[in-house]
Amino acid sequence: MHHARWTPSRRTLIGTTLLVGLSGLLTACGRPPALKTGPIDIGPPVTGGTLRIGFVGGGAADTLDGAIATNLGDVARAINMYDALLYRDDDFVLQPLLATSVTSNPDATVWTAKLRPGVKFCDGRPVTSKDVVASMRRIIDPDDPKSGAASLGHLREVVALDEHTVEFRLSQPDSALDDSLGQYSITIVPEDFDPAKPVGTGPFMLQSFTPGQSTILRRNPHYWGDEAPYLDEVELLNFNDTDALINALLSSQVDAVAQIPAALAEVIGSDARMQILNSKTGMWLPFTMRTDVAPFNDARVRQAFRLAVDRDQMVEQVLSGYGTVGNDMFASFDPAYPSFPQRVQDLAEAKRLLAEAGHPDGLSVELVTAPIQAGVVEAAQVFAEQAAGAGITVKIKKMDLTSYWGDYLNYPFSQSFWYTRNFLPQANSGAMPDSPFNETHWTDKEFVALVQRARGETNEAARNRLIEQAQKIMYDRGGNIIWGFANQLDAYQSYVGGLVPNATGLPLSGFQLRRVWIGEPA
């Protein structure tokens, strides 16, 4: 576990307002001079109790439908109330969940899922292949497509072969369909599912829900796992801003908080009552340049903007060192992630490219940002400072969350965030012409052809070569500035057990709360 040294710098200034707001509480805590090196021993798991989790965000649009989860609260509800057929474990390895196996025919046009026998929904009804068929049809419903529809657009037919066997018949080969079926949004629900009265197979079930405020989940008495959840209840609490969130943690109003600012990790972690969960992930916070509008419709301009970034400085100042440098390609945990020469800041070359593209006197652009994820607004501020050296004037337009998301696919230059995914699912969601979140409006024909070939390639080595070629196109002329991969930083009270580093990028051990318990220091 790496802890960046706490030294005065611009990252300190970035968090000044928050730190000032917390100074009284932090002083009252009487923190020791050194940061703890790891979790304390609270003994073996204990059954019972309520875990209170705080996070920033949420509002009137909060949902109980795991298939359309977007914000942190939605995702926490989705993972704990429902299950997918497969899931990604702490090391980002695909593992069985409701399915014991998901396998394909030789050309990857037909996939077969074997369901785990004996699984029941939280209302006691058995899960059958008919529920899986209904769940998939619900997700890809053309009149009301859910979040996972983009990766299942080639699903021609879903057939229940028997009570525990489901066949997925595709209109084109897809060697990574199992990866898509492992996304948390591909929830398996009953045939008669009603989001207003949600029924799932997850470790917890709904007790109460007030959008934008709180959710109470209670243990599912019919949970199928080898070990039932330790907790009786989980309470998910919304907070309006990070200051209020951290204050709630320090005043013991909550037991754990999702996503703390990197600049506060040392300060909070030095409180004897607190622990920091530091997970290395493939989460990325890109700057997105629309490749179909000026000035970013010129690849030379896009490359100049990438060369304006000092990536090491960005990781140090924005993430306080809690992250790794990026190279303008996503899917860093994918076995096919290539090792091209590391792009570094080159202001002279950036200026040359801008001049060649018709901007000899530099360029002025508006960067639209919002606090959509810890570090995003800070990254905008640091980028503006760095880009000035290349003759790029960046005017930051900061919006509130609701306004930002309302039009975010249309900004010429803005920001986004993505959790850990492998290349093909990520391309399906955000880099193809028909992707629902194609933030850069990327329509490169050579890239599209390579992705389509990779989807249909069942030989792993050959598929990885195709992915590397596609990544090279992104590296050379893509619309994302991928400057780094952020660690996921959460904080919790020392009496909380079962939280471990998790590579998915999702907070608090990937929100796998069935493993968490409330104990006492041994």
Side-chain angles (χ1 to χ4, degrees):
M1 203 177 277
H2 166 69
H3 296 285
R5 189 173 66 238
W6 182 260
T7 54
S9 68
R10 273 180 293 180
R11 73 166 180 264
T12 312
L13 298 177
I14 287 169
T16 296
T17 304
L18 182 54
L19 284 168
V20 168
L22 298 174
S23 59
L25 275 170
L26 291 171
T27 303
C29 293
R31 66 177 188 269
L35 187 62
K36 300 181 295 296
T37 56
I40 62 174
D41 180 14
I42 62 169
V46 177
T47 300
T50 298
L51 181 74
R52 302 163 300 169
I53 293 177
F55 53 90
V56 173
D62 285 0
T63 182
L64 294 170
D65 188 345
I68 55 174
T70 53
N71 62 45
L72 284 181
D74 292 346
V75 174
R77 286 182 285 271
I79 291 173
N80 286 283
M81 292 169 58
Y82 311 100
D83 291 314
L85 295 175
L86 306 165
Y87 82 109
R88 291 278 177 182
D89 68 10
D90 294 324
D91 298 317
F92 204 66
V93 176
L94 203 58
Q95 300 283 7
L97 199 57
L98 287 187
T100 56
S101 67
V102 177
T103 55
S104 79
N105 67 345
D107 66 358
T109 56
V110 178
W111 286 75
T112 304
K114 293 286 187 180
L115 301 184
R116 193 179 298 276
V119 177
K120 294 180 180 179
F121 288 110
C122 62
D123 62 2
R125 288 183 289 169
V127 176
T128 72
S129 54
K130 290 182 180 179
D131 298 305
V132 176
V133 171
S135 298
M136 295 300 156
R137 288 176 178 168
R138 178 175 181 271
I139 288 168
I140 64 173
D141 180 359
D143 295 326
D144 185 20
K146 308 301 187 290
S147 302
S151 59
L152 299 174
H154 53 345
L155 192 52
R156 179 173 55 84
E157 197 175 11
V158 193
V159 179
L161 298 185
D162 60 39
E163 192 173 357
H164 293 103
T165 309
V166 180
E167 198 168 82
F168 299 83
R169 300 169 185 172
L170 311 181
S171 58
Q172 60 190 55
D174 185 355
S175 58
L177 183 75
D178 53 347
D179 202 330
S180 298
L181 295 176
Q183 303 296 325
Y184 61 77
S185 60
I186 309 296
T187 52
I188 303 305
V189 294
E191 285 186 274
D192 59 354
F193 180 72
D194 178 0
K197 299 176 181 178
V199 172
T201 60
F204 297 94
M205 56 191 291
L206 186 67
Q207 176 76 27
S208 66
F209 174 56
T210 306
Q213 296 183 32
S214 70
T215 307
I216 298 178
L217 306 176
R218 58 186 169 92
R219 184 192 287 125
N220 174 5
H222 300 288
Y223 183 57
W224 57 269
D226 292 336
E227 293 183 349
Y230 300 116
L231 298 163
D232 290 331
E233 289 186 347
V234 171
E235 190 170 357
L236 306 173
L237 299 168
N238 302 61
F239 289 85
N240 291 329
D241 55 54
T242 303
D243 204 339
L245 178 74
I246 304 301
N247 278 322
L249 178 73
L250 297 176
S251 60
S252 299
Q253 296 174 49
V254 294
D255 306 304
V257 295
Q259 295 184 349
I260 63 168
L264 292 181
E266 293 264 335
V267 181
I268 296 170
S270 62
D271 184 328
R273 304 169 304 159
M274 303 296 163
Q275 297 290 330
I276 300 297
L277 183 62
N278 177 14
S279 301
K280 183 178 179 180
T281 79
M283 178 171 62
W284 44 297
L285 315 173
F287 294 94
T288 56
M289 303 175 284
R290 269 186 60 177
T291 58
D292 61 336
V293 296
F296 301 111
N297 55 352
D298 190 317
R300 294 168 297 188
V301 172
R302 301 197 294 272
Q303 203 69 309
F305 272 57
R306 290 163 148 187
L307 291 170
V309 181
D310 182 332
R311 293 150 197 268
D312 290 311
Q313 187 182 60
M314 189 76 83
V315 169
E316 178 63 21
Q317 291 188 357
V318 175
L319 305 178
S320 297
Y322 291 93
T324 54
V325 169
N327 207 19
D328 298 324
M329 297 174 290
F330 49 62
S332 61
F333 276 59
D334 195 311
Y337 187 74
S339 56
F340 300 141
Q342 178 59 54
R343 185 160 286 139
V344 297
Q345 187 181 54
D346 188 338
L347 298 177
E349 177 63 7
K351 289 178 179 178
R352 188 194 71 77
L353 284 167
L354 288 175
E356 189 179 293
H359 308 283
D361 300 321
L363 194 57
S364 178
V365 295
E366 180 181 79
L367 172 58
V368 182
T369 189
I372 55 176
Q373 180 84 357
V376 168
V377 174
E378 294 84 350
Q381 295 165 346
V382 175
F383 178 80
E385 296 171 9
Q386 293 179 348
I392 299 169
T393 301
V394 178
K395 300 173 182 177
I396 296 176
K397 179 181 180 181
K398 185 179 176 182
M399 302 177 69
D400 64 76
L401 284 170
T402 302
S403 301
Y404 183 85
W405 288 126
D407 201 35
Y408 97 105
L409 288 176
N410 294 320
Y411 310 127
F413 189 37
S414 61
Q415 290 169 278
S416 185
F417 74 93
W418 292 88
Y419 295 127
T420 314
R421 292 190 185 199
N422 277 353
F423 178 83
L424 288 175
Q426 181 62 64
N428 287 341
S429 293
M432 298 291 278
D434 58 350
S435 296
F437 307 113
N438 186 357
E439 295 154 341
T440 66
H441 295 230
W442 176 243
T443 57
D444 189 286
K445 291 181 180 179
E446 188 180 357
F447 176 86
V448 169
L450 284 165
V451 171
Q452 290 173 340
R453 285 177 59 196
R455 282 179 183 166
E457 179 55 69
T458 56
N459 179 280
E460 184 177 2
R463 181 169 66 248
N464 288 354
R465 285 192 295 270
L466 291 167
I467 289 174
E468 182 171 334
Q469 292 175 51
Q471 288 274 42
K472 183 64 163 62
I473 293 173
M474 297 202 76
Y475 176 80
D476 288 339
R477 57 180 187 263
N480 288 307
I481 302 173
I482 303 175
W483 54 267
F485 296 96
N487 289 17
Q488 174 61 43
L489 296 170
D490 310 301
Y492 60 98
Q493 308 279 357
S494 292
Y495 53 73
V496 176
L499 292 171
V500 297
N502 177 279
T504 63
L506 294 168
L508 297 168
S509 291
F511 283 134
Q512 301 287 342
L513 303 180
R514 69 184 186 281
R515 308 180 295 184
V516 179
W517 75 91
I518 295 176
E520 295 290 342

